[in-house]
Amino acid sequence: MEKTINIVIASTQFALEERAYEKLHAYLQSLKAHFATPEGKEILHDIESRVAEKLLEKKHAVITEADVDVIMAEMGDASELDSEDAQPAPAAGGSHKKLYRDQDDALIGGVSSGIAAYLDVDPIFVRAAFIVTAFFGGTGIWVYLLLWVLMPAATSASQKLEMRGSAVTLDAIKRMVHERTDEIRKRGTFKKFIYFPFEVLGAILRFLTGSLLPVLARVFGVLCAAGAFFGAIGLTILLGIIVSNWNASYVDLPLQEIVSPLLWGTVLVAGYLAALIPLVLIFSLGWRLVRGRSLFPSSIGLGLIGLWALVAVVAGVSGARIGSNYYSYVSTSPEYQEVVQTLAPGEFASIAATEKHVTIKNGPAYAVELRGVQMDMDNIVVENKEGVLSIGTHFEAESCIFCRHSSPSVTVIVPYLDQITLRDASIQFESYADDSLSIDARNSSASGRLTVASLILKAEDSYVGLEGAAGIATVTLDDSRFAGEDFLVQTSTLSLSDSSATINSSTTPVITRNSDSVVMDADGNQIGRQE
């Protein structure tokens, strides 16, 4: 039975046989005695890091004396360093360069110095290349940041020597530290001048990543955790409302008739989990940023991701099934089919439209044509009151979230009209012709082709865009716009207030009020006079 001893090398714990421990202890003590200088501390630290790396390569739990002998033979003995003619021991299996970030010669992230070590050139040339390419759309900056992420940092002695293609021995580690020290000591004035801005930038970035970034990470973690927590609560409350109001009408069709309780329950549960699992993962991320450790093992996180993929598929399939049932119901049910109704309201000389779009065209008789879905025909109000045709909308109050209700389109067919009144409405003339017409619009719009002998237009907070012609036009605008480039007027009188008008007129318009207003002719020239 062999006695084992636990030791810590380079912050890593190992279990060694007693004889292996005695031999390794003596080896490290001889190295400490040899490198008993301020500079030697750095060399000894790198040597211990290399010894820890070699011990970690062993597959068995307890390090044996034979393992220590192999490491000592590979790295060399301290006595060999006393001779200036000593040659570095060859690395086992040969040695070749690897690409690392050189943090020993880093000004920002060590990318340039790492590439320089790999290419065996002076780092100043690589840094100059990044500076030059930074002026080409920032290419150099993005490439540098990408390499900063992709290139590992050379932190251990073996990585620093592999970066240079050197065998990892005591002599190699010693030479590497000496060269780095000499390089800093011998850096000339020119190089110091060139490196100064990089050193400042590197110091700033190191401060940000070392001091500010952890604070920002904690703040972001708190926001993630709080947002996910309250999001989960809101999601749960929403599910409870939907389940407790199953018989309520959330859509404009009998949901219970086209969706079975099992299908409806499946899509609710799957949809709830598909939304809840990402919130749990976000909460876990926030927890990790704040507390510095995971909320649960990585195996549970991978399981949650797999569960999310499963419930997302189930929710998608169930939702598609409900959508198919909905489309089939809407396509075959009579109340969802488009119909055309023609009303005979009797004679009228005026139209009063509220919150509705109306199309007007000439015809031999008075008629109103409604076009829309059968179930929405009751949402339109058309009524002839003492020669005034009132047109509006009517919706019953209902708590329907996903509804298709809309107001049918309205087309009015008349031989002639005297007055049109618009309130929060719009009107479209479809090649309409008349002797005289008066339009009073408020928060509305009027457009289309209109031909009249006399037009009286009063608009407030409205837009009027007409084509056609008028013999005489009297236009009063208040905070409105009249676009009449294609509307030919023989004689026109305009009264504007905080408005603009463009009109094609054969006579000069008369502007009675002109506060921040502009009147242009069809060619874009300002016309008219102020009174």
Side-chain angles (χ1 to χ4, degrees):
M1 184 173 62
E2 185 74 26
K3 180 181 179 181
T4 61
I5 299 175
N6 292 325
I7 64 171
V8 176
I9 302 178
S11 303
T12 307
Q13 184 172 341
F14 300 97
L16 282 73
E17 293 179 352
E18 185 176 11
R19 285 177 295 181
Y21 166 75
E22 292 174 353
K23 183 169 288 189
L24 181 59
H25 178 71
Y27 179 70
L28 293 178
Q29 286 298 115
S30 67
L31 294 177
K32 288 182 180 180
H34 184 84
F35 296 110
T37 63
E39 186 181 85
K41 292 182 179 180
E42 183 178 355
I43 300 175
L44 188 62
H45 177 270
D46 288 340
I47 292 174
E48 290 181 349
S49 298
R50 178 57 177 172
V51 171
E53 289 178 0
K54 299 302 293 183
L55 293 177
L56 286 172
E57 293 177 1
K58 306 305 178 183
K59 303 301 181 182
H60 34 269
V62 180
I63 305 301
T64 64
E65 183 180 6
D67 296 331
V68 175
D69 289 337
V70 171
I71 295 174
M72 292 172 57
E74 182 176 321
M75 298 191 64
D77 192 81
S79 61
E80 300 175 1
L81 300 175
D82 295 332
S83 174
E84 295 183 357
D85 297 330
Q87 297 295 325
S95 178
H96 60 278
K97 288 186 176 183
K98 292 185 179 180
L99 187 60
Y100 290 99
R101 286 188 290 112
D102 185 6
Q103 293 185 315
D104 290 338
D105 191 23
L107 296 181
I108 299 178
V111 174
S112 298
S113 53
I115 295 175
Y118 187 81
L119 300 177
D120 197 19
V121 297
D122 194 301
I124 192 172
F125 296 112
V126 182
R127 290 173 178 134
F130 278 116
I131 293 174
V132 172
T133 54
F135 292 98
F136 293 91
T139 303
I141 298 176
W142 292 112
V143 171
Y144 188 94
L145 294 176
L146 179 62
L147 292 176
W148 195 346
V149 174
L150 296 178
M151 290 172 58
T155 56
S156 65
S158 60
Q159 291 173 335
K160 294 174 183 178
L161 290 171
E162 286 173 347
M163 181 175 61
R164 295 168 172 80
S166 302
V168 185
T169 63
L170 297 180
D171 183 67
I173 294 174
K174 175 183 176 182
R175 293 174 184 271
M176 177 189 66
V177 174
H178 284 320
E179 289 174 0
R180 170 60 185 155
T181 304
D182 292 340
E183 168 65 20
I184 297 176
R185 186 179 300 138
K186 295 178 181 179
R187 183 178 292 177
T189 304
F190 177 73
K191 284 188 175 181
K192 289 181 180 179
F193 175 76
I194 295 297
Y195 288 166
F196 178 73
F198 296 101
E199 291 175 344
V200 173
L201 179 59
I204 294 174
L205 292 177
R206 283 190 291 272
F207 167 75
L208 293 177
T209 56
S211 301
L212 185 60
L213 190 60
V215 175
L216 294 178
R218 286 178 177 272
V219 172
F220 181 71
V222 171
L223 294 177
C224 286
F229 177 76
F230 290 109
I233 293 177
L235 184 66
T236 304
I237 293 175
L238 177 62
L239 177 65
I241 293 174
I242 295 176
V243 172
S244 60
N245 293 272
W246 161 250
N247 294 323
S249 178
Y250 294 105
V251 294
D252 56 0
L253 52 82
L255 191 63
Q256 294 86 346
E257 294 183 10
I258 65 172
V259 181
S260 66
L262 178 61
L263 180 59
W264 181 242
T266 300
V267 74
L268 282 180
V269 173
Y272 174 74
L273 292 177
L276 179 64
I277 291 175
L279 294 176
V280 173
L281 295 176
I282 293 174
F283 182 84
S284 174
L285 173 62
W287 181 277
R288 182 181 182 89
L289 292 174
V290 174
R291 302 299 298 271
R293 63 177 184 270
S294 299
L295 182 62
F296 41 72
S298 58
S299 57
I300 296 180
L302 294 175
L304 287 175
I305 294 175
L307 178 62
W308 177 84
L310 176 62
V311 297
V313 171
V314 173
V317 172
S318 303
R321 181 67 181 275
I322 293 177
S324 176
N325 293 347
Y326 175 83
Y327 178 78
S328 177
Y329 185 89
V330 170
S331 301
T332 57
S333 298
E335 63 266 30
Y336 285 92
Q337 308 310 307
E338 184 175 282
V339 296
V340 177
Q341 291 184 2
T342 301
L343 307 178
E347 295 186 8
F348 53 89
S350 301
I351 295 177
T354 304
E355 298 181 352
K356 192 65 188 143
H357 176 76
V358 180
T359 301
I360 297 180
K361 63 181 181 180
N362 290 112
Y366 295 89
V368 178
E369 184 180 276
L370 306 179
R371 182 183 297 272
V373 178
Q374 177 65 52
M375 65 182 298
D376 292 333
M377 285 300 173
D378 293 337
N379 294 331
I380 189 72
V381 177
V382 179
E383 186 178 7
N384 187 351
K385 294 182 179 180
E386 299 179 356
V388 178
L389 185 68
S390 298
I391 303 174
T393 58
H394 172 68
F395 287 97
E396 295 182 358
E398 55 182 341
S399 58
C400 183
I401 300 175
F402 305 103
C403 295
R404 291 162 46 98
H405 294 306
S406 61
S407 181
S409 63
V410 181
T411 300
V412 178
I413 304 170
V414 291
Y416 66 89
L417 279 173
D418 292 335
Q419 173 77 30
I420 296 177
T421 303
L422 304 175
R423 296 295 182 264
D424 299 307
S426 62
I427 197 164
Q428 174 76 31
F429 294 103
E430 191 173 298
S431 299
Y432 179 75
D434 206 336
D435 291 335
S436 63
L437 183 63
S438 175
I439 302 175
D440 183 1
R442 183 181 301 170
N443 297 320
S444 303
S445 66
S447 59
R449 178 169 290 277
L450 173 66
T451 303
V452 291
S454 174
L455 173 65
I456 299 176
L457 172 63
K458 181 181 179 181
E460 180 180 347
D461 296 321
S462 300
Y463 168 80
V464 180
L466 296 177
E467 300 177 0
I472 301 174
T474 301
V475 179
T476 302
L477 303 179
D478 183 5
D479 196 16
S480 300
R481 181 189 173 196
F482 181 78
E485 296 91 340
D486 299 319
F487 191 65
L488 178 62
V489 180
Q490 294 180 358
T491 303
S492 58
T493 302
L494 279 72
S495 177
L496 283 72
S497 176
D498 298 321
S499 303
S500 64
T502 304
I503 191 167
N504 188 357
S505 177
S506 59
T507 63
T508 301
V510 177
I511 308 171
T512 58
R513 289 182 297 151
N514 186 19
S515 174
D516 298 328
S517 305
V518 178
V519 180
M520 310 291 289
D521 62 13
D523 297 325
N525 301 313
Q526 185 167 339
I527 58 177
R529 67 176 184 272
Q530 261 185 314
E531 293 184 355

